[in-house]
Amino acid sequence: MMEFLTTLWAQFLSTLPLFILILLGYLAVKIGRWQKTVTDSLTKFTFYIAFPIMLFQIMSHFSEQSQIDINVLFVFFGGSFIVFAFGCLVASKLFKLTGSESTLFAMGGIYTNTVFVGIPIIKMLLGEKAIPIVAIIVIFNALILWTLATVSIEFVQMGKFSGRSFIKALKNVSKNPIIIGIFTGIVVNYIGLPMPKFINQSTKMVSDMTAPLSLIVLGMGLAEYKIRDKLLITTSICILKLAALPIVTYIMGKLLGLPTLELQVVVLLSSVSIAINCYMMARQFEVLQGPIASSLLISTTLSSITTPLILSIMTHLP
C-alpha cells in the first residue's frame, strides 16, 4: 500500500504543473477580467498554428519511432463505442432523456480532450515517444465521433440516415488544421525531404511552447462556463468519462494484448477530461448544453486526481 501511495503521489506531482497552467488561464479571465477576444485569439492561434506545427514537427520524424500497433485504434474506439451504447441506455432508461439528449449524454462520456489536455499529459508522463500514438488517434477521433453523433441524432430525429452526414463530417475533418499538420509531417517523413536546420529549429521551438500554451488557453476557455442545474446528469457523465471509459479501454487493451506503452497511452487518453468539442455539439444540436458545460468544468478539475490515480493503478497491475 505504501508503494502504491508513493507512486500515486509522484504521478500527481508530475501532472500538477499541467493543471496549475489550466488554473492560471482560468484566473487570468476570472480575476484579470480579460476580454473574451483575448481568449478567442489565443485559442485560434493555438489551434490553427501552434498545434499543427508541433504535430508536423513530430510526425516529420515519424519513421524514427517504433512501429505503432494498429490495435490501438480498435481498443480506443472499441471502448468508446461500448461506453457510448451503455451511456445511451442509462440516459434513456434512468433519466428518461429523449433520443437526441441521450446521444449527447453518451457523447459526453466518451469525447476525450485529446488535443488540449491529452497531448500535454501524455508528453509529460510518457515522453515524446508516445506522441505519434496519440497523433494516430487524433486523426480518426474527430471524424469518428462527429460522424457517430451526427448519424445518431439524424436517425433519432428522422428515423433514417444517409451518407450525406458522413460526407459532411469527412469534409470538415479534412479541413482541420491539426489533421493537415499530421498528414503533412507524415508526407515529409516518408518522401525523405531534407528539412533545413533553421526550419527544424523553428518548428521545434513552437513545439516546445505548444503544450503549456494550450493548457492556459483551455483554462481561459473554461472560465466562460458555469456549473448549472441537473447535477445528477452532469455527475453521471463525469463518471462515464473519468471511470467507465478508462476501465473498459484497459480491459479491451489487455484482451487484445497491447504493448505496455500503447496500453498506457490509450487508457490515459480515455481518462482525461471531456473535450470542448462536445459542448460545440451540444450547442449545434441544442440539447443538454447546461450539463455538458458543467461536465467540462468538473471533469477537468477531477482528472487532475483521477488520471494520476489510473496511471498508478496500471503500474501495479500484472
Side-chain angles (χ1 to χ4, degrees):
M1 177 59 72
M2 280 304 298
E3 183 183 354
F4 172 76
L5 292 176
T6 301
T7 303
L8 175 59
W9 180 246
Q11 301 294 357
F12 174 73
L13 291 179
S14 296
T15 59
L16 185 59
L18 305 180
F19 291 95
I20 288 176
L21 291 180
I22 295 175
L23 179 62
L24 177 63
Y26 184 88
L27 294 177
V29 173
K30 282 295 186 181
I31 298 177
R33 299 186 182 279
W34 287 8
Q35 296 294 322
K36 185 177 182 297
T37 53
V38 177
T39 302
D40 292 341
S41 297
L42 281 175
T43 301
K44 191 172 183 179
F45 172 82
T46 305
F47 185 79
Y48 283 92
I49 297 178
F51 263 117
I53 290 176
M54 182 193 77
L55 291 168
F56 167 81
Q57 200 274 335
I58 292 171
M59 299 310 291
S60 63
H61 300 282
F62 184 76
S63 60
E64 299 171 12
Q65 309 293 332
S66 57
Q67 192 69 27
I68 294 176
D69 192 334
I70 194 64
N71 282 334
V72 163
L73 297 177
F74 289 113
V75 171
F76 187 82
F77 292 109
S80 295
F81 289 147
I82 291 172
V83 175
F84 178 81
F86 178 71
C88 287
L89 184 64
V90 169
S92 62
K93 299 299 183 183
L94 183 61
F95 295 111
K96 308 299 181 184
L97 299 181
T98 65
S100 298
E101 290 173 336
S102 296
T103 296
L104 262 296
F105 176 93
M107 192 58 61
I110 67 170
Y111 208 138
T112 292
N113 198 334
T114 53
V115 175
F116 283 91
V117 179
I119 290 177
I121 283 183
I122 296 297
K123 194 172 183 180
M124 171 73 77
L125 294 179
L126 302 179
E128 198 161 295
K129 64 182 181 299
I131 298 300
I133 304 173
V134 181
I136 296 299
I137 293 173
V138 169
I139 290 172
F140 292 94
N141 195 54
L143 172 62
I144 291 176
L145 296 189
W146 269 100
T147 301
L148 177 62
T150 304
V151 168
S152 297
I153 289 178
E154 184 178 347
F155 182 79
V156 166
Q157 293 178 343
M158 301 179 62
K160 63 178 181 178
F161 61 87
S162 64
R164 186 168 52 187
S165 300
F166 176 78
I167 294 173
K168 183 179 179 180
L170 184 62
K171 286 182 178 179
N172 289 337
V173 171
S174 67
K175 299 175 184 177
N176 188 309
I178 291 176
I179 304 301
I180 293 172
I182 291 172
F183 275 112
T184 305
I186 292 175
V187 169
V188 168
N189 174 78
Y190 279 109
I191 66 175
L193 186 65
M195 288 269 288
K197 186 176 181 180
F198 67 90
I199 292 181
N200 197 46
Q201 288 179 336
S202 298
T203 56
K204 183 66 168 61
M205 291 169 69
V206 174
S207 178
D208 290 340
M209 78 172 190
T210 300
L213 177 62
S214 69
L215 294 169
I216 294 173
V217 168
L218 173 62
M220 295 172 69
L222 289 175
E224 299 177 13
Y225 306 121
K226 297 179 180 179
I227 295 178
R228 298 179 172 89
D229 54 359
K230 299 182 180 178
L231 286 181
L232 185 57
I233 293 178
T234 298
T235 301
S236 300
I237 292 173
C238 291
I239 291 173
L240 280 178
K241 181 68 194 69
L242 302 179
L245 184 59
I247 289 172
V248 171
T249 303
Y250 178 81
I251 293 172
M252 286 198 64
K254 277 295 188 180
L255 290 175
L256 289 178
L258 274 188
T260 300
L261 178 62
E262 283 79 357
L263 181 62
Q264 289 178 333
V265 168
V266 293
V267 174
L268 284 182
L269 265 187
S270 67
S271 75
V272 301
S273 57
I274 299 168
I276 291 179
N277 279 355
C278 194
Y279 179 67
M280 296 298 102
M281 282 184 184
R283 291 187 61 176
Q284 177 179 334
F285 299 121
E286 298 182 347
V287 291
L288 288 188
Q289 295 182 50
I292 294 295
S294 300
S295 300
L296 277 172
L297 283 171
I298 295 173
S299 67
T300 301
T301 303
L302 290 179
S303 63
S304 64
I305 299 172
T306 57
T307 295
L309 175 62
I310 287 170
L311 181 58
S312 300
I313 292 173
M314 277 197 299
T315 57
H316 285 82
L317 289 175

